[in-house]
Amino acid sequence: MMENSFGKISRLSLTAGVKEGRTFLKDAAFTAPYKVMTPFSKPDGSMQVMPLCASAGIMSGDCQEFSFEVEEGASLEVLSQSFDKIHKMNGGSAKRTITCQVAKNAAFCYFPQPVIPFAGSAFDSRLEIHLADDTSRLFLLEIITSGRSAYHECFAYRRFSSLVTIYREGLLIYRDNTRYEPARMDLSSMGFYEGYTHGANLFLSGTDPETDARRIENIWQILESQPECEGGVTRLCHGDLAVRILGTQAQKLQELAEKIKAA
């Protein structure tokens, strides 16, 4: 990977605490091009945070490190301001590393905007989440588009990889290793996007078998109500849920994710 032209790693670190039943931003640190706007407090006591980025997107040589910590009893939702644009790279690449700690009786929702890999781009993402125990709640969303379809750039990027690992009490409960290299793979074919242009990956931490059974039924109803999308839900061996959805519009996948989150 080429060296970052700014000569340093772009970092963002957030810690959410709780006081008198309301989540607050206990600590925040960031370097250019990132800033953090004033958090949004929600009626249920949880908090939304939207990091701001002054850059036009992810460039060759960029290296980003994000860190989130949700303390006991806190509830944090992290959003993003716009689609993640991964710009064309002449032989270089970019990478992002995200780590997160979710304490007991805490909740973390990571709900970023979709990723758009431009033609010729190469990007590697690593996300590692540690849940303290069964009372640690998690909702995770990732939407990957095929590129700038209006510019006839569907699957024209060089590489997109996303490794997600989730641990509970130190035990690995989920590992998703997505690696797309269009020059070596027919991504529009069976087993990949199957004629669609957008894909969504979701993870929802489990609660108990009875509650999860109702959630699964609700999620199936949500998916089946959208004939322009194709998807499915799986209950994992530790009781958590994984959802995969294919579609042709990022906004539609976001709307489905919002409904599944509330299911």
Side-chain angles (χ1 to χ4, degrees):
M1 187 182 75
M2 298 170 59
E3 291 296 325
N4 188 302
S5 59
F6 291 98
K8 63 180 181 181
I9 299 172
S10 298
R11 290 187 170 91
L12 171 68
S13 176
L14 302 175
T15 300
V18 64
K19 184 176 182 180
E20 298 178 351
R22 302 198 67 82
T23 300
F24 69 101
L25 195 57
K26 187 174 182 178
D27 186 61
F30 45 84
T31 62
Y34 287 98
K35 293 183 178 180
V36 177
M37 67 183 302
T38 303
F40 300 96
S41 294
K42 301 178 71 174
D44 62 359
S46 63
M47 181 180 66
Q48 287 182 332
V49 175
M50 181 182 292
L52 304 178
C53 182
S55 171
I58 298 172
M59 309 293 182
S60 179
D62 280 356
C63 183
Q64 303 172 344
E65 292 184 358
F66 299 165
S67 174
F68 306 115
E69 182 177 357
V70 189
E71 296 185 346
E72 186 169 356
S75 180
L76 173 67
E77 180 176 8
V78 175
L79 311 172
S80 57
Q81 70 183 110
S82 63
F83 283 32
D84 248 339
K85 304 176 187 67
I86 307 174
H87 287 267
K88 183 177 181 179
M89 302 172 187
N90 296 319
S93 64
K95 67 178 182 180
R96 172 184 293 162
T97 302
I98 305 173
T99 58
C100 180
Q101 305 284 336
V102 185
K104 297 178 180 179
N105 298 303
F108 179 61
C109 174
Y110 190 55
F111 205 101
Q113 294 284 337
V115 177
I116 306 177
F118 288 21
S121 66
F123 180 69
D124 300 294
S125 173
R126 300 292 180 268
L127 171 59
E128 184 175 300
I129 300 176
H130 291 266
L131 307 176
D133 61 18
D134 289 338
T135 66
S136 309
R137 318 307 311 150
L138 174 65
F139 179 87
L140 178 65
L141 170 68
E142 179 181 50
I143 297 177
I144 308 166
T145 75
S146 61
R148 298 188 298 175
S149 56
Y151 288 83
H152 307 289
E153 289 185 0
C154 284
F155 306 117
Y157 51 88
R158 288 188 290 115
R159 182 180 74 253
F160 178 89
S161 72
S162 173
L163 175 61
V164 179
T165 52
I166 302 174
Y167 298 83
R168 181 182 288 121
E169 296 184 275
L171 175 68
L172 179 67
I173 61 169
Y174 180 83
R175 186 178 191 272
D176 183 78
N177 188 12
T178 297
R179 185 180 179 90
Y180 295 146
E181 297 182 42
R184 300 173 56 193
M185 309 167 177
D186 182 4
L187 293 179
S188 63
S189 67
M190 184 69 68
F192 291 102
Y193 281 74
E194 303 187 4
Y196 293 94
T197 54
H198 296 60
N201 299 328
L202 298 87
F203 175 92
L204 301 83
S205 56
T207 51
D208 61 75
E210 183 176 344
T211 300
D212 291 338
R214 291 196 298 269
R215 292 173 79 193
I216 291 172
E217 183 178 351
N218 292 338
I219 291 171
W220 274 118
Q221 291 177 354
I222 291 168
L223 295 174
E224 291 171 354
S225 70
Q226 302 296 329
E228 65 269 41
C229 297
E230 199 74 44
V233 54
T234 300
R235 189 172 190 267
L236 305 177
C237 61
H238 294 282
D240 307 291
L241 305 182
V243 182
R244 298 288 186 270
I245 313 172
L246 295 172
T248 57
Q249 297 180 24
Q251 183 178 359
K252 180 60 66 176
L253 294 183
Q254 288 176 304
E255 291 173 357
L256 287 175
E258 287 279 9
K259 292 179 180 179
I260 290 171
K261 178 186 171 188

